[in-house]
């Protein structure tokens, strides 16, 4: 027997229950795998256990993929749970900063000097 893949749940009933039967959320596109989630409040009594776990995990910025791995839930389900918390203002989402494409390209003058140098070889 093959062991289940991490994050894969063989019980679709559990996933249905966790999301309240939802398969999508309006804010799902807000979260990609590396979006950093930061908890904005402490868990309160009566919250869903997965939401409590997310808030505790996100006392420091935590990536969506790390949250999914910790919850042992698919990323799609984790995004729905995060959307619930975002809608109520209990978390904030931060996208890691990347250098602009123009900043990552070498200076055209340097490229031209390299080309001239290669031609002179």
């Amino acid at each position: 027997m093959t062991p289940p893949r991490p994050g894969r749940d063989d019980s679709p009933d559990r996933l249905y229950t966790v999301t309240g039967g939802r398969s999508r959320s309006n804010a799902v596109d807000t979260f990609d795998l590396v979006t950093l989630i930061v908890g904005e409040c402490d868990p309160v009594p009566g919250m869903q256990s997965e939401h409590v776990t997310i808030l505790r995990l996100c006392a420091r910025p935590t990536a969506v993929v790390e949250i999914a791995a910790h919850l042992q839930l698919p990323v799609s389900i984790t995004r729905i749970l995060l959307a619930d918390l975002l809608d109520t203002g209990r978390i904030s989402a931060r996208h890691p900063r990347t250098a602009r494409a123009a900043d990552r390209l070498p200076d055209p003058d340097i490229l031209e000097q390299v080309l001239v140098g290669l031609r002179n070889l």
Side-chain angles (χ1 to χ4, degrees), residues 11-66:
S11 174
D13 293 342
R14 178 176 176 248
L15 300 179
Y16 183 86
T17 303
V18 165
T19 62
R22 294 169 293 150
S23 62
R24 294 185 185 267
S25 174
N26 292 338
V28 166
D29 293 336
T30 304
F31 308 106
D32 59 20
L33 295 177
V34 295
T35 301
L36 297 175
I37 306 300
V38 180
E40 298 294 339
C41 66
D42 292 327
V44 295
M47 289 181 74
Q48 186 176 340
S49 63
E50 289 82 6
H51 288 154
V52 170
T53 302
I54 290 170
L55 288 176
R56 288 186 179 146
L57 277 174
C58 297
R60 295 184 307 176
T62 307
V64 170
V65 69
E66 293 177 60

Side-chain angles (χ1 to χ4, degrees), residues 61-76:
T62 307
V64 170
V65 69
E66 293 177 60
I67 296 167
H70 188 82
L71 293 173
Q72 296 183 349
L73 290 173
V75 171
S76 60

Side-chain angles (χ1 to χ4, degrees), residues 45-112:
M47 289 181 74
Q48 186 176 340
S49 63
E50 289 82 6
H51 288 154
V52 170
T53 302
I54 290 170
L55 288 176
R56 288 186 179 146
L57 277 174
C58 297
R60 295 184 307 176
T62 307
V64 170
V65 69
E66 293 177 60
I67 296 167
H70 188 82
L71 293 173
Q72 296 183 349
L73 290 173
V75 171
S76 60
I77 301 299
T78 303
R79 286 178 176 157
I80 293 171
L81 296 172
L82 291 172
D84 293 342
L85 293 171
L86 184 66
D87 289 345
T88 57
R90 292 186 166 134
I91 62 167
S92 60
R94 300 178 186 167
H95 295 277
R97 293 183 184 186
T98 58
R100 294 182 318 168
D103 294 340
R104 289 183 277 160
L105 296 176
D107 184 16
D109 292 335
I110 292 175
L111 290 176
E112 187 174 336

